[in-house]
Amino acid sequence: MNTDPSFRRLHGRQVHLQPKGFFGKLFALLVGAGLLVLGLMFSVVIVAVAVVGGLLFWGFMWWKTRELRRRMREQMDNPMQSPFGDVPASGGRVIEGEVIEVSAEASTDRRR
């Protein structure tokens, strides 16, 4: 049994995985460098497609929300206008709280 990691058994035959000689190593280096460059090219293309897709989505959303942004800008310029029609806008303090309404029948029952 050979324990050298450069040898593998394939269907009963030993296969030598490391390139032999100078030209074999040079060929392996060139193939490895070519695959690395090819992988980088594909990753650049994928990133470029993602950036263009993101810009298209941003442009679409910007175009579709332009009316909403115009209305919001107008509302910020005129803060005293009420969105509910003739109801006057509050100019004083707002005190928040809860109101508990007790009916007249319940209050008479408690007195007894």
Side-chain angles (χ1 to χ4, degrees), residues 76-112:
M76 292 299 290
D77 291 341
N78 303 321
M80 295 307 276
Q81 289 180 350
S82 174
F84 302 112
D86 61 347
V87 178
S90 174
R93 287 183 3 185
V94 176
I95 301 173
E96 294 183 18
E98 294 183 16
V99 175
I100 300 173
E101 183 177 340
V102 179
S103 66
E105 294 174 10
S107 63
T108 57
D109 290 342
R110 287 185 187 167
R111 290 182 193 168
R112 291 182 193 173

Side-chain angles (χ1 to χ4, degrees), residues 8-21:
R8 300 276 188 236
R9 283 213 174 265
L10 181 66
H11 300 291
R13 290 184 247 152
Q14 287 187 346
V15 180
H16 189 58
L17 295 179
Q18 290 194 354
K20 291 186 179 186

Side-chain angles (χ1 to χ4, degrees), residues 19-73:
K20 291 186 179 186
F22 173 73
F23 290 112
K25 290 181 182 181
L26 182 64
F27 179 72
L29 179 71
L30 289 176
V31 168
L35 289 175
L36 180 67
V37 168
L38 193 64
L40 288 174
M41 285 174 38
F42 277 119
S43 68
V44 166
V45 168
I46 289 172
V47 168
V49 167
V51 167
V52 168
L55 286 174
L56 287 174
F57 180 74
W58 176 81
F60 176 76
M61 293 303 290
W62 179 81
W63 182 257
K64 288 295 186 180
T65 60
R66 68 188 188 280
E67 179 67 23
L68 176 65
R69 285 182 278 120
R70 183 188 61 79
R71 280 196 241 150
M72 288 174 63
R73 205 174 304 118

